[in-house]
Amino acid sequence: MARPLNATLTTEKNLSKNEPIEFYDVFISAAQTLYFVRDNQDQNFFTLAGTPQLYTAIGLSRESINTSVDSTIDQTTIKLDNINKNFAAYIESNTIELRGKRLVIRKAFRNQLASANNAVIIFDGLMDEPIIAEKFFETKVKSKINT
């Protein structure tokens, strides 16, 4: 049976500095990677290779990661609300094909951003079925097979 937390631990657990935040690395090409953070402000953190990088805060949401022990592929859905025409135009003008592009989601605690080793990869997959609508962008991300 789980032991209840005392008041000190409950307070510490609920402090904003202890909240986990998610970092999204979107690999568009060998020369271009987009760096986003699911937060209210930009964050300095590290790429997967350990290089310091500014991650841009955007209003991402995602479904829980569906995992399975049978033959189905693990997946999640990422959604970006309140996009504008500029975002859609950027994708179209740069002829960016998002299907099949790698997306890595990592999680780290807000007070542990001093080292790349303090993040854990929670999902590594390929974007599939991207949709750019008038007000939102959405894509499924499916785990890479044979990884």
Side-chain angles (χ1 to χ4, degrees), residues 87-107:
F87 179 84
Y90 172 78
I91 298 295
E92 290 175 9
S93 68
N94 289 292
T95 60
I96 295 174
E97 173 58 50
L98 297 174
R99 183 168 298 152
K101 301 302 183 196
R102 182 179 180 207
L103 186 141
V104 177
I105 305 171
R106 295 179 293 155
K107 189 174 278 194

Side-chain angles (χ1 to χ4, degrees), residues 44-60:
N44 287 301
F45 197 54
F46 300 89
T47 66
L48 288 172
T51 306
Q53 176 67 45
L54 179 65
Y55 282 75
T56 304
I58 58 174
L60 283 169

Side-chain angles (χ1 to χ4, degrees), residues 50-119:
T51 306
Q53 176 67 45
L54 179 65
Y55 282 75
T56 304
I58 58 174
L60 283 169
S61 62
R62 71 170 173 82
E63 293 179 356
S64 58
I65 297 170
N66 299 323
T67 58
S68 175
V69 293
D70 60 15
S71 60
T72 59
I73 297 173
D74 297 347
Q75 69 179 16
T76 187
T77 300
I78 309 289
K79 187 172 184 180
L80 176 58
D81 286 321
N82 299 322
I83 67 167
N84 57 29
K85 292 178 184 177
N86 294 336
F87 179 84
Y90 172 78
I91 298 295
E92 290 175 9
S93 68
N94 289 292
T95 60
I96 295 174
E97 173 58 50
L98 297 174
R99 183 168 298 152
K101 301 302 183 196
R102 182 179 180 207
L103 186 141
V104 177
I105 305 171
R106 295 179 293 155
K107 189 174 278 194
F109 287 102
R110 188 177 301 280
N111 64 344
Q112 297 293 316
L113 302 180
S115 169
N117 296 327
N118 294 336

